[in-house]
Amino acid sequence: METESPNKPKVEDSGGILKQNREFLDFFWDIAKPEQEIRLKAIENLLQYLETSERDDELKYTLKRLIDGLAATREVARPGFSLALAQVAQHFESIPLQGILDQIKEKHDLQKVKKKRLRHAAFGNFFGVLALFQSGRLTKEPKVLLECVQLLQSLAQYREHLKDLPRKTLVDILSETTESEFEEVLYGSLKTDLSSAFSTPEQLHLLLVAIQKFPGVLKPKRLKKLLGTSTVVTDENIPKLLEILKVSAKSVKMDRILPPLGLDLLRLSLNEGTFELFWKEIVEKGLLLDKAAPCSFMCYRLLGAALPHLSLSELKMVLHGEVMLHYGKNVIATQLPGRVKFGPEMETYVDAFLENCDDPDKQLTVMKAFSTLTNQGNPVITSSWKVVRHLQSTALLDYVDYLKQMFLNPDLEICLELYTRRQNPEKILQPEQCIFRLRKWIVSRLASIIDNPWLKKDEDLVMDITRFIFFYSFFEALKPTLDIPETECLLQVPLDEDTRSATADSFFSLLNYLNCLPVLGENPEAANLNKKHVQGVTADGQLWIYCVSQYASALLSRKKYVRAVKPFTDEEREAWERMLQCVDELRKKGDKSQNMKLSAFQRLGLLIGIHLFKAPTESLELLKDFHHCMDKVLEKECKKKKKSADDEEEPEWVEVVVEILLSLLSQQSKFIRQACTSVFKQICSNVTEKALHLILDVLDPEKDHDEDRALLITDEGKKAKRTSSESESEDNSDEEESSEEEDEDDNDDSSDTEDKDGDEREGDSSAEELEENDSESETEPVDENFRMGLIKALQAGNALPREDEASDEEDLDDEAMMSLDENLAALFAEQKKRAQAKKDEKDQQRKEKILVRDFKIKVLDLIDVFLKKQPENPLVFGIIEPLIAVIEQTMTGKSDQQEQDFLQKTADIFINQLCKSKRYCKDVSSFKDKLYDMMERLVKRARKQTDSSVALYCFSASLYIFRVLRGNISEVPVPPVVQSKKKHKDDEQRDDQEQQGIPVGDLDIDRVKAIYQEALTEFMTKRNSALTGAMFVDLFVRFPIICLHLLDSTVSFITEGVRQHQQGQACLLVQKALQIRELRQSMTESELETLLKQVLSQIHKSLKTVNGFKVKVDQEKVLKCLELTSWVAKIIKQQKLNIELTNMVPDLLAMAQMEGFGRSVQLDNVYWNIMRPLGYSRPKKAKKQQPLVTESTESTKKKKKGFLPETKKRKNRKKVSVGQQKEITGSSNEQSGEGHRGKKKKKNRKRKISESGDKNGLGHSSPAKQNKVQSENTNKGKDRTETDKSKKKKHKKREHSE
């Protein structure tokens, strides 16, 4: 520490203290450390020590050390000493503050200190005053308080070192001072600073704090004497205040905070009644018009910080002013990455205001203002703005009513409309388009209120919003009626088709959320249902979707007041009524045992029924299947008898439900996708093998072209609709989740104006397609039929001679030419139709393939649900091989992005939900042989693969089967095995002990051993095997029992491996096997000793074959061998076995002398870890002597990778010899005297070009080649950067001056 420099004055009895207690001195070292915890702990221990010791000399020494540390050169140490001094002054009130202050002034005197230590002394004075202030005793001693304030005033001139720290500390001191002390003690000293308040931001802030803290002292009369005006915010002071605020805004540019000066000035204007003057003149006409970004951001922060302090009228003035307009432009402006957008920060301001505001009117005013800040009709805030969670119940209901009224009667005049500079006035949207954008946002806003999980809402509000969105999605009001509140307000601007479509999408998104909504309310019934994790129901147990269906049924029955946008046909109405009747029967028959099944049927039926309003044709077919399925379920429930022969031929109800779900999944709707998933969760416990095969057949690669499985390929109209949605995301119907993307798209400058140029773009795209078709037709082979038809047409028109006739050079007449043209035109038109038909067929196949792949991705959700909900179901084993077939087919074929997504999802489900599942089928006794056969098939499948990644999936599946067959025996703790003398050498006893060390259970170990032994042999003896060492490492580590049976053959492969890689992998496998505790405990001491000797013998033989380390595989093999040897030596030492390693020493020493041995640090470390216990020490590396630095070594040191060749370098003229330098200077002087400098430059350039040509072997080339080389060199010279040119000019000027 610098505080203990040798030049410091000695303290009395310092030698005694130093000799007496070392622990006392360590406190000061810990105080200076950068770690805060250590620092605080040292201060606490120091105080305890001083209280217990009660020695004056130690207390004096403490003050001396702490005051010295205030000016420590290390910036981290100063706050620690300042805090320690404050704590000492607080605990020991007997120490006078005047004495501490005198010592600080004497030690860190700014007049006597050297210039080099002026900065440290200034910080010493500052931290000293800060310590006295933090002690809490400063206000009790007025004289010391005055001196501290005067010292801080004197430190203000050292702004380059302390910045504004003294002024900030002075403000903090004023905030702790009483009014009487300020008037009697400090006012006279601060009078100069207060009178010059408009000079700097710090002095103005000091005045504002004083006015706010001591209004009785700084009355208007006294302010008039100080400032010339009785108030601060006046017309005269506005220019001064504006300049100070600009300086303050730019000073906190990097901190991104609101300066305290701005907030205090805003509060003062409110107290003085001049807020409107402050906001209009200073903020809007001053700061906001400044082009500097910090000034604009200061205006935004003032807007957010002012919200809690304003009245209702002031809120309306501020929220409809220019600052709000500029804030909206900042939100929607397209900025470069890294630039700041103020939207998230404003959200924090509004969130804090709404959370702490108790006035519902103010909350509603703020929400209305931000909701009406629009750009071409679309509000700039997102529809999922989370600040709504703090609204009170009355404010929330009023806000919902306001949104509904704006949807019914959109008033663009009350909106605060803004336009960016990039938006073309000619392309501004029409009012109808703006209304569409506003209504679309309002619907998303209403839906997000229900989606917000942090917002407290009741069931009435949820149902009210749901009914509103549903009504205006599919119905329109004819006459008002009290029974239907939605008909009481008629639309002034009618809804167009696009608005209804967007509203319908939001409704289905909302309905999907309602199906997963927890029970609302705080009553005991709701709490009980939430404990059971019941979702999608009201407090009385009714499904939300059932409530919606009842409302829809009421609307359909009131034809005088309400009319459907797309009225139902008789067939559709009959299907709707039958669906409701079926659901009512299910609700009546619901009991505890069948509750989940009947609830799933209710959800499914209501889902299909509600979907009648959107897609009636498709829903009709699905409803027929649903009713057929329900008839069977109800019949089965009533009879409860065995099935007849006729019934056995018909499918089970679960199979019919699965087929319905698959049919629903073919539609492009996220709502239907998630609804099908939720329904399948409830019925997956009843899934049969046939029902599961229906799902797996969709994923089967061999059945992609099966007509029965082509669920997505229907008539041309449906194809057009579905293929048009390919370019969009699958979640296009989910309005709430895509609201943020829509807001970004809506905020673009020309978001909706692109429709005007649609025809031109379509024309351009069609022209490009024709050009592509022509280019493709050129590359395609010529159709032989077309060629023959063309020849016949030409021969018929006598334009081409026949084979048996001579060529006739006479021209054809006009009639012949016209007939020939007609024939050729017809021929080419027919050929064009055939080409277009082929292209359409390929395009159709491509679109169908995309649709099928998208359908398969959705079907994978059902597999995922089944594996999560039913991991112990025996049907899980039937999923393994179909998923592997999907992975094989996808990885071997051509892959686009959709194919990769499908593969990734399949692989994740296969590994995470299947192979790594902690739950699996326990009872497999009835089909154990099938599992053994499957394990054998999987291992053989892995061996036949050409890609090791696919083989890994097959091998992992076999390990999953292995774990199932082994059972739960690994969870039983392994009993310890008695060692040495108590062991028996009997074979039977050894077998019992082996079974005791590694339990086998009911596993057919011989059959499993044969399966994996064959795979291991192939891996070790076949050069191009898809199996990897990591697979067998996983096998050995997870299943020690199989490791025990494969260990002998693995040891033999250390030398018998086909290549060095396999030999190294054999060493790795043996090492992993020996690291397994259960394996070593299952072996007797003699067996373990025999095994280790065999391992060492194999390693010895393998190392003898090493001749060098030229190839990397040799190095890896030796590394694995040495690591295994090191582990064997460790076991020998632990078990105290009688095995020697001395026979390997000569070979190890010889190996160390081979070339390339020391290149690998890891290999070198492992080698000496083995040799050190054998009595060989690692030689120390000799330090390399640094060569003398000469000119030649300097040039070699400066060479870097990628340096230019000699022919491309400029000569460094600074490092020429003395004689050459004299010659150069002499010649330059002569030429400068003759005035031929320009010619010399040209000659030097030519000389360089000729020299480079000679060095490249071009010295004797032809003049043409020389000119070519010269031109290339000049072109390269032109491409140099400006810095190189400037360096070259400076170098030449220096050369000529020499």
Side-chain angles (χ1 to χ4, degrees):
M1 284 177 56
E2 190 164 342
T3 55
E4 297 189 16
S5 61
N7 296 327
K8 68 178 182 180
K10 295 183 180 180
V11 183
E12 294 182 3
D13 197 24
S14 62
I17 293 174
L18 294 174
K19 294 178 181 178
Q20 182 176 353
N21 193 348
R22 181 65 185 174
E23 180 185 1
F24 172 66
L25 299 177
D26 289 340
F27 294 147
F28 303 101
W29 288 93
D30 292 340
I31 290 173
K33 290 184 178 180
E35 293 81 6
Q36 186 177 2
E37 296 180 358
I38 299 176
R39 200 187 306 174
L40 296 177
K41 187 66 176 177
I43 295 173
E44 183 181 356
N45 295 334
L46 175 63
L47 293 175
Q48 293 178 357
Y49 179 82
L50 292 176
E51 288 177 355
T52 54
S53 64
E54 297 181 355
R55 293 182 56 181
D56 295 337
D57 54 351
E58 292 181 344
L59 187 59
K60 292 180 181 179
Y61 181 77
T62 300
L63 292 176
K64 173 63 180 173
R65 286 290 299 269
L66 295 179
I67 292 173
D68 290 347
L70 295 175
T73 55
R74 290 188 299 141
E75 298 181 359
V76 182
R78 298 170 193 160
F81 285 106
S82 177
L83 180 61
L85 181 60
Q87 294 296 319
V88 171
Q90 182 180 3
H91 280 72
F92 299 95
E93 296 186 359
S94 59
I95 304 175
L97 293 184
Q98 185 66 48
I100 298 176
L101 182 61
D102 293 339
Q103 291 185 40
I104 292 172
K105 291 182 178 179
E106 181 183 358
K107 177 63 181 178
H108 309 298
D109 192 353
L110 296 172
Q111 304 298 329
K112 298 180 181 180
V113 74
K114 294 182 181 180
K115 186 177 180 180
K116 185 182 293 185
R117 293 191 56 85
L118 181 63
R119 173 183 171 85
H120 306 308
F123 272 106
N125 285 278
F126 168 72
F127 279 108
V129 176
L130 185 62
L132 296 180
F133 171 65
Q134 291 176 345
S135 67
R137 298 172 51 193
L138 191 59
T139 56
K140 299 178 182 179
E141 300 185 17
K143 184 180 179 181
V144 181
L145 175 62
L146 180 60
E147 291 185 13
C148 288
V149 170
Q150 292 174 349
L151 181 57
L152 289 175
Q153 288 178 319
S154 64
L155 291 176
Q157 59 183 329
Y158 301 101
R159 186 175 177 83
E160 67 274 12
H161 302 308
L162 301 177
K163 296 183 179 181
D164 56 346
L165 290 176
R167 296 291 182 187
K168 289 182 177 179
T169 307
L170 191 58
V171 171
D172 294 337
I173 291 176
L174 286 183
S175 62
E176 298 293 333
T177 308
T178 62
E179 188 171 353
S180 59
E181 290 175 348
F182 173 75
E183 186 175 8
E184 296 173 1
V185 179
L186 300 180
Y187 179 72
S189 178
L190 296 175
K191 188 175 182 180
T192 305
D193 290 337
L194 295 177
S195 61
S196 59
F198 297 117
S199 301
T200 61
E202 292 80 12
Q203 291 175 332
L204 179 59
H205 191 209
L206 182 65
L207 174 65
L208 297 179
V209 173
I211 293 174
Q212 182 181 358
K213 184 68 177 176
F214 315 112
V217 178
L218 296 175
K219 296 180 180 179
K221 292 182 180 180
R222 186 167 285 180
L223 282 177
K224 192 169 185 179
K225 293 180 181 180
L226 291 173
L227 305 176
T229 58
S230 59
T231 57
V232 177
V233 182
T234 60
D235 293 330
E236 299 174 0
N237 296 334
I238 282 177
K240 301 176 184 178
L241 294 174
L242 179 59
E243 293 300 324
I244 292 176
L245 286 177
K246 287 181 180 179
V247 174
S248 180
K250 295 174 182 178
S251 65
V252 294
K253 177 182 178 181
M254 303 305 295
D255 297 333
R256 298 179 182 177
I257 59 173
L258 175 65
L261 171 64
L263 186 58
D264 290 339
L265 189 59
L266 186 144
R267 290 172 179 169
L268 181 64
S269 67
L270 289 171
N271 295 331
E272 294 178 349
T274 57
F275 174 75
E276 186 174 357
L277 177 64
F278 167 77
W279 193 261
K280 293 289 185 182
E281 300 297 330
I282 296 179
V283 178
E284 292 186 350
K285 296 182 180 179
L287 290 173
L288 199 60
L289 298 181
D290 195 289
K291 295 183 179 180
C295 296
S296 300
F297 280 100
M298 186 178 188
C299 295
Y300 307 151
R301 293 187 177 102
L302 282 172
L303 173 63
L307 295 178
H309 307 284
L310 303 180
S311 63
L312 191 60
S313 59
E314 290 169 344
L315 276 174
K316 293 179 180 179
M317 179 195 73
V318 168
L319 294 174
H320 291 82
E322 293 295 326
V323 180
M324 278 289 285
L325 280 174
H326 281 71
Y327 161 71
K329 292 178 182 179
N330 175 267
V331 173
I332 67 174
T334 304
Q335 295 183 356
L336 297 174
R339 298 290 181 88
V340 182
K341 279 197 173 185
F342 198 75
E345 191 171 346
M346 180 61 77
E347 185 176 348
T348 58
Y349 279 115
V350 178
D351 189 77
F353 164 72
L354 294 176
E355 185 178 5
N356 301 316
C357 181
D358 298 329
D359 190 352
D361 295 334
K362 289 185 178 181
Q363 288 183 337
L364 182 62
T365 301
V366 172
M367 292 303 301
K368 282 183 179 181
F370 280 96
S371 299
T372 53
L373 182 61
T374 59
N375 174 33
Q376 300 188 38
N378 188 64
V380 298
I381 62 172
T382 61
S383 60
S384 58
W385 218 27
K386 297 179 181 179
V387 298
V388 73
R389 60 184 173 176
H390 299 301
L391 289 180
Q392 297 183 11
S393 58
T394 56
L396 179 61
L397 293 176
D398 292 340
Y399 182 58
V400 171
D401 292 339
Y402 164 75
L403 292 175
K404 291 161 66 175
Q405 188 63 31
M406 283 291 291
F407 180 86
L408 298 174
N409 304 315
D411 188 3
L412 299 179
E413 294 181 358
I414 66 173
C415 295
L416 193 61
E417 187 69 20
L418 59 94
Y419 299 99
T420 60
R421 290 179 298 176
R422 294 185 178 182
Q423 286 180 336
N424 190 354
E426 298 178 357
K427 296 184 179 180
I428 293 177
L429 299 179
Q430 298 297 323
E432 294 79 9
Q433 294 174 314
C434 294
I435 290 174
F436 164 72
R437 290 157 62 91
L438 179 60
R439 281 175 165 171
K440 187 178 179 181
W441 181 89
I442 289 173
V443 172
S444 300
R445 172 78 273 190
L446 289 172
S448 66
I449 290 176
I450 300 179
D451 291 352
N452 195 334
W454 298 280
L455 178 64
K456 292 183 179 180
K457 47 190 175 291
D458 54 5
E459 293 182 354
D460 295 335
L461 177 63
V462 172
M463 196 61 202
D464 181 46
I465 295 176
T466 306
R467 288 169 53 150
F468 180 83
I469 297 177
F470 175 76
F471 181 86
Y472 289 102
S473 297
F474 306 109
F475 292 91
E476 56 184 357
L478 299 178
K479 295 180 182 180
T481 177
L482 296 177
D483 297 338
I484 304 175
E486 288 75 20
T487 62
E488 295 180 0
C489 296
L490 300 178
L491 292 170
Q492 292 184 357
V493 180
L495 295 175
D496 55 358
E497 186 177 354
D498 294 335
T499 305
R500 289 192 183 275
S501 177
T503 309
D505 292 339
S506 296
F507 166 73
F508 282 107
S509 173
L510 177 60
L511 194 60
N512 179 46
Y513 180 77
L514 290 177
N515 286 330
C516 305
L517 182 67
V519 182
L520 302 177
E522 298 179 355
N523 51 2
E525 297 176 355
N528 187 23
L529 291 174
N530 285 324
K531 286 182 180 180
K532 297 178 181 179
H533 302 285
V534 178
Q535 296 178 345
V537 299
T538 59
D540 56 356
Q542 290 186 356
L543 294 172
W544 280 106
I545 191 172
Y546 178 75
C547 298
V548 175
S549 65
Q550 291 297 315
Y551 175 66
S553 181
L555 292 178
L556 290 174
S557 62
R558 300 297 184 90
K559 296 182 179 180
K560 293 182 180 180
Y561 305 99
V562 177
R563 181 180 62 187
V565 178
K566 296 180 181 179
F568 280 175
T569 62
D570 295 338
E571 185 180 6
E572 293 167 357
R573 184 60 185 270
E574 182 182 357
W576 169 263
E577 296 294 340
R578 188 181 177 190
M579 182 272 300
L580 291 178
Q581 182 181 1
C582 183
V583 170
D584 290 336
E585 292 179 3
L586 287 174
R587 294 180 71 246
K588 292 177 182 179
K589 289 183 175 295
D591 52 15
K592 295 182 180 180
S593 59
Q594 302 292 334
N595 190 18
M596 294 297 291
K597 181 175 69 174
L598 298 179
S599 176
F601 277 111
Q602 290 181 45
R603 290 176 186 266
L604 183 59
L606 293 171
L607 165 65
I608 302 173
I610 291 293
H611 217 260
L612 269 172
F613 293 95
K614 185 176 182 180
T617 306
E618 298 175 357
S619 301
L620 273 178
E621 298 295 330
L622 294 175
L623 279 176
K624 291 179 181 179
D625 295 338
F626 171 75
H627 292 313
H628 176 70
C629 179
M630 285 311 307
D631 291 339
K632 289 195 59 180
V633 172
L634 296 176
E635 182 181 359
K636 183 178 179 180
E637 295 263 338
C638 295
K639 292 182 179 179
K640 294 184 179 181
K641 295 180 180 180
K642 295 183 179 180
K643 298 178 182 180
S644 60
D646 297 335
D647 293 334
E648 290 179 357
E649 296 178 359
E650 296 182 2
E652 291 281 345
W653 63 270
V654 179
E655 300 170 19
V656 180
V657 172
V658 168
E659 288 184 351
I660 295 174
L661 294 179
L662 293 176
S663 301
L664 288 173
L665 284 175
S666 64
Q667 301 183 17
Q668 298 291 333
S669 173
K670 185 178 180 180
F671 162 68
I672 293 180
R673 178 179 181 180
Q674 295 188 353
C676 291
T677 304
S678 63
V679 170
F680 187 75
K681 285 180 182 178
Q682 297 179 337
I683 66 168
C684 62
S685 58
N686 299 320
V687 169
T688 61
E689 186 175 359
K690 291 183 179 180
L692 184 61
H693 277 296
L694 288 174
I695 301 174
L696 294 175
D697 288 345
V698 177
L699 303 175
D700 192 352
E702 298 179 356
K703 297 183 179 181
D704 281 346
H705 303 288
D706 189 0
E707 295 180 358
D708 295 336
R709 293 266 61 90
L711 298 174
L712 300 176
I713 303 167
T714 56
D715 56 344
E716 296 178 358
K718 294 179 183 178
K719 283 183 187 177
K721 291 181 181 178
R722 288 169 184 161
T723 53
S724 64
S725 63
E726 293 169 15
S727 59
E728 302 175 357
S729 63
E730 180 192 348
D731 304 341
N732 199 20
S733 62
D734 191 354
E735 186 69 24
E736 185 271 330
E737 294 189 2
S738 63
S739 59
E740 296 181 1
E741 298 178 0
E742 290 172 357
D743 292 335
E744 294 176 1
D745 296 335
D746 293 339
N747 291 333
D748 292 339
D749 299 335
S750 58
S751 58
D752 287 15
T753 59
E754 296 177 357
D755 298 336
K756 298 179 180 180
D757 302 330
D759 298 335
E760 298 178 1
R761 294 180 182 175
E762 289 178 1
D764 297 338
S765 61
S766 61
E768 292 175 359
E769 290 178 359
L770 290 175
E771 292 178 0
E772 292 177 358
N773 294 340
D774 295 340
S775 61
E776 290 177 0
S777 61
E778 291 177 0
T779 57
E780 290 180 357
V782 180
D783 189 2
E784 192 64 29
N785 295 329
F786 173 69
R787 181 173 175 275
M788 295 302 298
L790 182 60
I791 292 174
K792 291 179 180 180
L794 292 175
Q795 289 177 354
N798 295 326
L800 184 67
R802 301 181 183 273
E803 296 180 359
D804 55 350
E805 295 180 359
S807 61
D808 190 3
E809 297 180 356
E810 293 182 0
D811 296 335
L812 299 176
D813 55 1
D814 294 340
E815 295 181 359
M817 288 294 292
M818 291 296 292
S819 62
L820 180 61
D821 289 343
E822 293 178 358
N823 295 334
L824 292 177
L827 183 63
F828 277 99
E830 185 180 356
Q831 176 63 18
K832 187 176 181 180
K833 289 181 180 179
R834 285 198 294 266
Q836 185 65 31
K838 289 183 179 179
K839 183 185 176 184
D840 294 342
E841 185 180 358
K842 290 182 180 179
D843 192 25
Q844 181 181 354
Q845 291 177 359
R846 181 183 63 82
K847 292 178 180 179
E848 289 178 358
K849 185 177 180 181
I850 292 175
L851 287 173
V852 171
R853 187 68 63 195
D854 183 60
F855 176 59
K856 289 184 176 182
I857 292 175
K858 298 175 188 177
V859 173
L860 281 176
D861 293 341
L862 304 182
I863 298 294
D864 191 17
V865 169
F866 185 78
L867 292 176
K868 287 180 180 178
K869 295 292 183 179
Q870 299 290 321
E872 300 179 1
N873 197 321
L875 296 177
V876 170
F877 301 111
I879 302 177
I880 296 176
E881 291 180 303
L883 289 184
I884 291 178
V886 171
I887 295 174
E888 287 178 350
Q889 182 69 20
T890 311
M891 294 191 72
T892 55
K894 296 181 180 179
S895 60
D896 51 5
Q897 184 60 40
Q898 190 190 28
E899 196 90 5
Q900 292 177 6
D901 295 340
F902 177 61
L903 173 62
Q904 183 66 35
K905 186 171 184 178
T906 307
D908 289 343
I909 293 174
F910 183 80
I911 294 296
N912 298 324
Q913 305 302 333
L914 183 64
C915 297
K916 292 184 179 180
S917 177
K918 296 181 180 180
R919 298 165 55 197
Y920 52 88
C921 184
K922 306 297 182 182
D923 186 11
V924 295
S925 57
S926 59
F927 51 91
K928 185 183 298 184
D929 294 334
K930 294 182 179 179
L931 291 181
Y932 283 115
D933 295 337
M934 182 182 292
M935 178 192 289
E936 187 174 0
R937 288 197 306 270
L938 290 172
V939 175
K940 288 183 179 180
R941 196 167 190 168
R943 290 162 51 190
K944 293 179 181 179
Q945 300 294 331
T946 57
D947 191 352
S948 59
S949 58
V950 181
L952 177 61
Y953 292 108
C954 302
F955 202 85
S956 300
S958 71
L959 297 184
Y960 170 75
I961 302 296
F962 195 169
R963 185 179 62 171
V964 172
L965 290 171
R966 185 195 57 178
N968 294 327
I969 54 176
S970 60
E971 299 176 2
V972 181
V974 179
V977 180
V978 184
Q979 300 289 336
S980 65
K981 295 182 181 179
K982 295 183 180 180
K983 293 179 181 177
H984 300 277
K985 298 180 181 179
D986 217 35
D987 291 338
E988 296 180 359
Q989 292 177 349
R990 279 203 307 267
D991 292 340
D992 295 337
Q993 189 178 6
E994 176 181 339
Q995 298 297 330
Q996 190 179 13
I998 304 179
V1000 180
D1002 197 16
L1003 184 68
D1004 189 354
I1005 190 64
D1006 295 332
R1007 188 170 181 179
V1008 177
K1009 175 186 175 183
I1011 294 173
Y1012 287 104
Q1013 179 66 58
E1014 190 176 357
L1016 179 63
T1017 304
E1018 180 178 340
F1019 169 64
M1020 291 296 178
T1021 57
K1022 188 177 179 181
R1023 289 183 177 271
N1024 298 324
S1025 176
L1027 304 176
T1028 61
M1031 299 178 187
F1032 292 97
V1033 169
D1034 194 14
L1035 174 66
F1036 278 27
V1037 172
R1038 292 176 58 184
F1039 306 104
I1041 180 60
I1042 194 65
C1043 171
L1044 179 65
H1045 291 80
L1046 299 179
L1047 188 57
D1048 293 337
S1049 60
T1050 308
V1051 172
S1052 64
F1053 289 126
I1054 296 177
T1055 56
E1056 297 176 3
V1058 66
R1059 289 186 301 181
Q1060 295 93 327
H1061 173 71
Q1062 277 79 359
Q1063 296 174 10
Q1065 292 298 312
C1067 294
L1068 177 63
L1069 290 176
V1070 174
Q1071 181 183 353
K1072 294 295 182 182
L1074 293 177
Q1075 290 175 352
I1076 301 173
R1077 179 177 59 87
E1078 292 86 352
L1079 180 70
R1080 298 196 304 271
Q1081 289 181 354
S1082 64
M1083 303 174 67
T1084 61
E1085 183 176 346
S1086 59
E1087 290 176 345
L1088 182 61
E1089 185 175 349
T1090 304
L1091 176 63
L1092 296 181
K1093 288 181 179 179
Q1094 185 180 359
V1095 171
L1096 291 175
S1097 175
Q1098 293 291 326
I1099 295 174
H1100 192 192
K1101 294 179 183 178
S1102 180
L1103 291 178
K1104 284 185 177 181
T1105 60
V1106 179
N1107 298 323
F1109 298 92
K1110 297 180 180 180
V1111 187
K1112 188 176 181 180
V1113 291
D1114 290 333
Q1115 182 177 336
E1116 293 177 354
K1117 169 193 168 181
V1118 173
L1119 178 62
K1120 299 298 181 185
C1121 290
L1122 293 181
E1123 288 177 349
L1124 177 58
T1125 305
S1126 177
W1127 184 255
V1128 170
K1130 183 179 180 180
I1131 295 176
I1132 292 173
K1133 184 177 179 181
Q1134 290 178 351
Q1135 301 290 339
K1136 298 180 182 181
L1137 301 177
N1138 187 17
I1139 301 176
E1140 298 292 339
L1141 300 177
T1142 54
N1143 57 341
M1144 297 179 61
V1145 172
D1147 294 327
L1148 293 174
L1149 293 175
M1151 184 175 59
Q1153 303 300 324
M1154 295 181 183
E1155 182 181 358
F1157 175 77
R1159 293 177 183 174
S1160 174
V1161 179
Q1162 184 181 5
L1163 178 62
D1164 193 47
N1165 293 335
V1166 175
Y1167 175 80
W1168 288 110
N1169 287 339
I1170 298 173
M1171 298 299 291
R1172 193 179 295 112
L1174 297 178
Y1176 294 88
S1177 59
R1178 190 172 190 170
K1180 296 182 179 180
K1181 295 183 179 180
K1183 295 183 179 180
K1184 295 183 180 179
Q1185 295 182 357
Q1186 296 183 355
L1188 297 175
V1189 179
T1190 58
E1191 294 182 357
S1192 60
T1193 56
E1194 278 186 11
S1195 61
T1196 56
K1197 282 182 181 180
K1198 289 183 179 180
K1199 282 187 178 182
K1200 297 180 179 179
K1201 290 184 177 181
F1203 61 87
L1204 292 172
E1206 296 295 334
T1207 56
K1208 303 295 182 182
K1209 284 185 177 179
R1210 294 196 303 270
K1211 291 186 178 179
N1212 193 349
R1213 298 172 188 250
K1214 293 182 180 180
K1215 296 182 180 179
V1216 296
S1217 61
V1218 180
Q1220 292 176 352
Q1221 188 174 2
K1222 290 181 179 180
E1223 293 177 2
I1224 292 172
T1225 53
S1227 60
S1228 63
N1229 292 331
E1230 291 176 1
Q1231 292 181 0
S1232 62
E1234 294 175 0
H1236 297 290
R1237 293 183 179 178
K1239 294 182 179 180
K1240 181 182 178 184
K1241 290 181 181 179
K1242 293 180 180 179
K1243 290 180 180 179
N1244 289 338
R1245 290 175 184 172
K1246 292 181 180 179
R1247 187 181 298 113
K1248 289 179 181 178
I1249 293 170
S1250 62
E1251 289 175 1
S1252 64
D1254 294 339
K1255 290 181 180 180
N1256 287 308
L1258 298 173
H1260 302 284
S1261 59
S1262 62
K1265 291 184 178 180
Q1266 290 180 1
N1267 293 333
K1268 185 177 180 180
V1269 173
Q1270 290 177 5
S1271 64
E1272 290 177 357
N1273 289 330
T1274 53
N1275 290 333
K1276 291 179 180 178
K1278 291 179 182 179
D1279 294 336
R1280 292 172 182 167
T1281 59
E1282 293 297 326
T1283 54
D1284 293 337
K1285 290 182 180 180
S1286 61
K1287 289 180 181 180
K1288 186 174 181 182
K1289 289 180 181 179
K1290 290 179 182 179
H1291 180 69
K1292 289 189 176 181
K1293 286 180 181 179
R1294 194 182 298 111
E1295 177 189 353
H1296 289 304
S1297 64
E1298 292 175 356

